[in-house]
């Protein structure tokens, strides 16, 4: 009997996220392979943070071990054995079961890129461990930003540092791009928070800052568990989240504007998630269903956005116009 061949890294990428894979596959080498691998490293971290088969008391030490293995540049045999045995059927679990291959591929990267990936993914994993120990306590927007920085803002830094290795314009504007890159990450994560409010609550996390609700009002969980029938409070909280996402997205557009037009693959890689986020935010705005179900853009929207971005994404003026169009023509479901 012939053994089934293990999935390639690109197959793992497509299994873990078709949406991000769309952009990563458009990148030139060596960026494509490097960002693909960085994404898979963080999916291992995501599995350790988000899986439903381990307790928080188990997760945090495993996140510590994964971070330490990354920094050491050598697989942790005990951690690898634990992950290779997981029975979960999620995409993150599939990547986690292949953790040894992911680590081996990291060791084969060019040294400059390997150092960038290790530093930022290990720092992000440390942040996930800290928040796993802290638990779902989001008193205010500063706490939400702290969490989102660990899981997304640092990714903006990682990508900027990788771009700077090969793109002189990014290297010249490095300090500014690092600031905007963090904002880009916060933009995408804020939209993720909005679209996943109900699903996050089902796994025990409520990412609504308590400070967003009126002074002596209910706890944020009441917006998600069906015990609160206050459309006015729903509108208030949702408006605050949407306004926050729009502020971050404006900075993200500034990030895109610095990327050279001739680097069309890199621009598309960054542009597609930006446009998907703009569209998702548009159908979430003034839509109270976000508190009860996941908000997702349709496949037709994805196809149209990818087609249009590939044709016109070289133009900063078009990006501004198209973003407004995606925002203003969306109609929230009844």
């Amino acid at each position: 009997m012939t053994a089934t061949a293990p999935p390639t890294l690109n197959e793992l990428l497509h299994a873990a996220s078709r949406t991000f894979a769309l952009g990563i596959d458009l990148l030139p080498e060596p960026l494509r392979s490097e960002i693909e691998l960085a994404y898979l490293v963080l999916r291992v971290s995501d599995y350790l943070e988000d899986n439903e088969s381990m307790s928080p008391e188990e997760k945090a030490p495993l996140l510590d071990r994964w971070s330490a293995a990354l920094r050491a540049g050598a697989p942790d045999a005990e951690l690898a054995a634990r992950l290779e045995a997981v029975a979960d059927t999620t995409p993150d679990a599939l990547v986690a079961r292949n953790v040894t291959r992911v680590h081996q591929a990291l060791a084969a990267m060019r040294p400059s890129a390997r150092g960038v990936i290790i530093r930022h993914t290990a720092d992000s994993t440390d942040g996930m461990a800290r928040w796993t120990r802290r638990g779902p306590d989001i008193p205010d927007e500063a706490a939400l930003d702290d969490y989102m920085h660990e899981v997304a803002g640092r990714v903006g830094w990682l990508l900027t540092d990788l771009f700077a290795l090969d793109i002189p314009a990014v290297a010249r504007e490095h300090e500014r791009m690092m600031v905007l890159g963090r904002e880009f990450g916060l933009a995408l994560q804020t939209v993720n928070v909005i679209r996943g409010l109900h699903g996050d609550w089902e796994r025990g996390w409520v990412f609504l800052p308590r400070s967003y609700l009126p002074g002596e009002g209910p706890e944020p969980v009441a917006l998600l568990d069906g015990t609160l029938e206050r459309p006015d409070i729903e509108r208030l909280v949702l408006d605050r989240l949407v306004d926050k996402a729009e502020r971050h997205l404006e900075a993200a557009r500034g990030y895109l504007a610095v990327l050279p037009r001739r680097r069309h693959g890199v621009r598309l890689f960054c542009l597609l998630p930006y446009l998907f986020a703009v569209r998702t935010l548009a159908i979430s705005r003034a839509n109270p269903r976000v508190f009860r179900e996941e908000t997702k853009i349709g496949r037709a929207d994805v196809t149209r956005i990818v087609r249009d971005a590939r044709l016109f994404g070289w133009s900063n003026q078009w990006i501004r116009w198209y973003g407004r169009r995606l925002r203003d023509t969306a109609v929230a479901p009844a």
Side-chain angles (χ1 to χ4, degrees), residues 254-268:
Y255 188 95
L256 290 164
V258 177
L259 298 174
R261 293 180 181 184
R262 66 182 181 278
R263 300 282 188 164
H264 193 50
V266 175
R267 282 175 67 94
L268 281 174

Side-chain angles (χ1 to χ4, degrees), residues 9-51:
L9 295 181
N10 192 252
E11 287 170 343
L12 287 175
L13 168 70
H14 281 261
S17 175
R18 289 187 297 273
T19 302
F20 275 106
L22 285 173
I24 292 175
D25 285 346
L26 296 172
L27 287 165
E29 291 289 3
L31 270 174
R32 190 196 65 77
S33 295
E34 292 162 358
I35 292 176
E36 174 183 85
L37 186 58
Y39 181 82
L40 294 175
V41 169
L42 286 170
R43 291 311 289 251
V44 175
S45 304
D46 287 343
Y47 173 76
L48 290 171
E49 181 194 23
D50 291 339
N51 78 80

Side-chain angles (χ1 to χ4, degrees), residues 270-288:
C270 295
L271 177 58
L272 290 177
Y274 167 81
L275 294 176
F276 295 152
V278 169
R279 187 62 173 172
T280 301
L281 192 63
I283 64 174
S284 301
R285 184 184 289 104
N287 178 13

Side-chain angles (χ1 to χ4, degrees), residues 12 29 35 57 77 90 107 126 176 189 192 201 217 264 325:
L12 287 175
E29 291 289 3
I35 292 176
E57 292 74 23
T90 64
D126 288 341
R176 175 177 172 231
Q189 191 63 27
N192 281 343
W201 166 68
H264 193 50
R325 181 167 174 261

Side-chain angles (χ1 to χ4, degrees), residues 170-184:
V170 175
R172 287 193 301 270
E173 296 279 350
H174 185 259
E175 184 175 353
R176 175 177 172 231
M177 290 292 276
M178 289 293 272
V179 173
L180 294 175
R182 178 181 183 273
E183 286 288 307
F184 205 144

